[in-house]
Amino acid sequence: FSLGVLSLLGSRVPLSLKVFLTALAIIDDLGAILIIAIFYSGDLNIKYLSLMLISFIILLILNKFVVPLRLSP
């Protein structure tokens, strides 16, 4: 809802507020997905959970060292 209001207000809203609310919306959605996955699933598959955690750690490391993404050879 807040992102829709921000888009209607356009350039009258500071860019930092747009970035903050967008990040907050993304984190809120990811938290909701995580809660649904934990509490409403029949069982958790540890293999997939550990693969996700390893992938997340690799992405954090790549982000820390600012590895450029090359799409063309």
Side-chain angles (χ1 to χ4, degrees):
F1 176 76
S2 63
L3 295 177
V5 172
L6 284 178
S7 67
L8 288 175
L9 293 175
S11 63
R12 293 178 287 214
V13 178
L15 181 62
S16 60
L17 181 62
K18 290 180 184 180
V19 170
F20 173 73
L21 285 178
T22 303
L24 185 65
I26 291 170
I27 291 170
D28 179 52
D29 289 345
L30 290 175
I33 291 170
L34 186 64
I35 288 174
I36 290 169
I38 290 173
F39 292 110
Y40 290 105
S41 65
D43 59 338
L44 289 176
N45 193 338
I46 300 300
K47 182 175 95 174
Y48 293 128
L49 201 57
S50 61
L51 283 173
M52 183 273 310
L53 183 62
I54 290 169
S55 300
F56 181 70
I57 290 171
I58 290 172
L59 287 174
L60 286 177
I61 291 170
L62 290 175
N63 191 28
K64 180 171 177 63
F65 293 117
V66 189
V67 176
L69 178 64
R70 291 187 184 182
L71 296 177
S72 62

